[in-house]
């Protein structure tokens, strides 16, 4: 009778242990979604929108986390045509920015919301036999170029939906690392 009680208690504990697996969140954006970030960049109209606007709904991109402020030299390194691309093939806004020299600057925006959750069997994870990590969220990047305060170019991209599964199986569990260490100490 006690065997069954212990077995039932062990099964109950192990099944509830999955909540003890690690969870991590990366919140590198003031935007709540990919679409919100994209909409803020799409709302900028090249050759019309200003950097410093009095619109209360306008986004201050320079104040966003993980935004890199680009100097003219940075813009040149990033966008100067290679041997395959001619100047006339560039977007007119990029050409205006390059010709403006020091009046040209830009913003390289990187935004994301990522959540990593370890799922599966706690005991198998704990002894490093099998670790299963689910990654969900979104990643967004954008490039905005200004001449003085006028937006002359904007582009955006990224991953609207990140949904990845990483399964790491180690057949020897905690003993997997012993082999290489034995070989290195034998030398």
């Amino acid at each position: 009778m006690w065997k069954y009680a212990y077995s039932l208690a062990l099964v109950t504990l192990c099944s509830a242990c999955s909540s003890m697996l690690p969870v991590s969140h990366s919140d590198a954006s003031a935007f709540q979604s990919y679409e919100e970030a994209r909409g803020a960049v799409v709302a900028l109209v090249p050759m019309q929108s200003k950097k410093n606007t009095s619109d209360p709904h306008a986004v201050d991109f320079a104040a966003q986390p993980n935004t890199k402020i680009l100097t003219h030299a940075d813009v040149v390194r990033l966008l100067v045509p290679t041997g395959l691309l001619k100047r006339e093939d560039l977007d007119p806004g990029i050409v205006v920015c390059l010709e403006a020299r020091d009046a040209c600057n830009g913003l390289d925006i990187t935004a994301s919301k990522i959540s990593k959750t370890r799922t599966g069997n706690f005991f198998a994870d704990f002894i490093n036999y099998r670790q299963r990590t689910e990654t969900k969220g979104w990643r967004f990047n954008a490039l905005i170029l200004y001449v003085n305060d006028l937006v002359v170019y904007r582009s955006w991209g990224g991953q609207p939906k990140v949904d990845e599964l990483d399964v790491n199986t180690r057949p020897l569990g905690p003993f997997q690392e012993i082999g290489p260490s034995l070989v290195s100490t034998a030398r």
Side-chain angles (χ1 to χ4, degrees), residues 131-150:
Q131 295 176 332
R132 188 174 191 265
T133 306
E134 294 180 16
T135 305
K136 297 186 182 288
W138 55 270
R139 294 183 182 106
F140 176 81
N141 57 3
L143 175 66
I144 303 170
L145 299 180
Y146 300 99
V147 171
N148 296 317
D149 276 350
L150 181 67

Side-chain angles (χ1 to χ4, degrees), residues 118-119 124-126 128-133 166-169:
R118 294 263 277 277
T119 58
D125 189 287
F126 183 72
N128 287 334
Y129 176 72
R130 185 166 192 233
Q131 295 176 332
R132 188 174 191 265
T133 306
D166 181 36
V167 179
N168 184 10
T169 303

Side-chain angles (χ1 to χ4, degrees):
M1 180 70 167
W2 289 104
K3 276 185 181 179
Y4 295 118
Y6 286 130
S7 298
L8 182 61
L10 183 62
V11 168
T12 303
L13 283 173
C14 287
S15 66
C17 288
S18 65
S19 64
M20 294 174 55
L21 293 173
V23 175
S24 68
H25 299 279
S26 170
D27 192 359
S29 175
F31 297 111
Q32 297 305 309
S33 69
Y34 179 89
E35 287 303 317
E36 182 183 346
R38 186 187 70 77
V41 172
V42 169
L44 298 173
V45 180
M47 306 301 180
Q48 292 178 12
S49 298
K50 298 277 186 182
K51 181 194 290 188
N52 299 325
T53 180
S54 59
D55 182 6
H57 301 293
V59 176
D60 183 5
F61 290 102
Q64 295 292 318
N66 299 316
T67 296
K68 182 178 177 186
I69 299 173
L70 304 173
T71 65
H72 180 261
D74 295 329
V75 172
V76 169
R77 272 192 297 276
L78 188 64
L79 298 172
V80 163
T82 62
L84 301 173
L85 194 63
K86 296 179 183 165
R87 191 176 186 101
E88 10 342 306
D89 295 331
L90 293 174
D91 186 275
I94 295 173
V95 174
V96 167
C97 193
L98 293 174
E99 289 174 349
R101 300 206 179 265
D102 288 339
C104 168
N105 58 46
L107 298 173
D108 184 2
I109 302 162
T110 304
S112 66
K113 285 200 188 262
I114 300 292
S115 174
K116 291 186 177 198
T117 306
R118 294 263 277 277
T119 58
N121 183 292
F122 171 77
F123 186 70
D125 189 287
F126 183 72
I127 63 169
N128 287 334
Y129 176 72
R130 185 166 192 233
Q131 295 176 332
R132 188 174 191 265
T133 306
E134 294 180 16
T135 305
K136 297 186 182 288
W138 55 270
R139 294 183 182 106
F140 176 81
N141 57 3
L143 175 66
I144 303 170
L145 299 180
Y146 300 99
V147 171
N148 296 317
D149 276 350
L150 181 67
V151 175
V152 294
Y153 178 80
R154 54 114 168 101
S155 67
W156 54 271
Q159 292 178 276
K161 182 178 181 184
V162 174
D163 192 359
E164 301 168 353
L165 175 64
D166 181 36
V167 179
N168 184 10
T169 303
R170 303 169 118 196
L172 299 177
F175 303 109
Q176 192 79 34
E177 298 299 319
I178 292 175
S181 65
L182 286 176
V183 172
S184 65
T185 56
R187 290 183 191 178

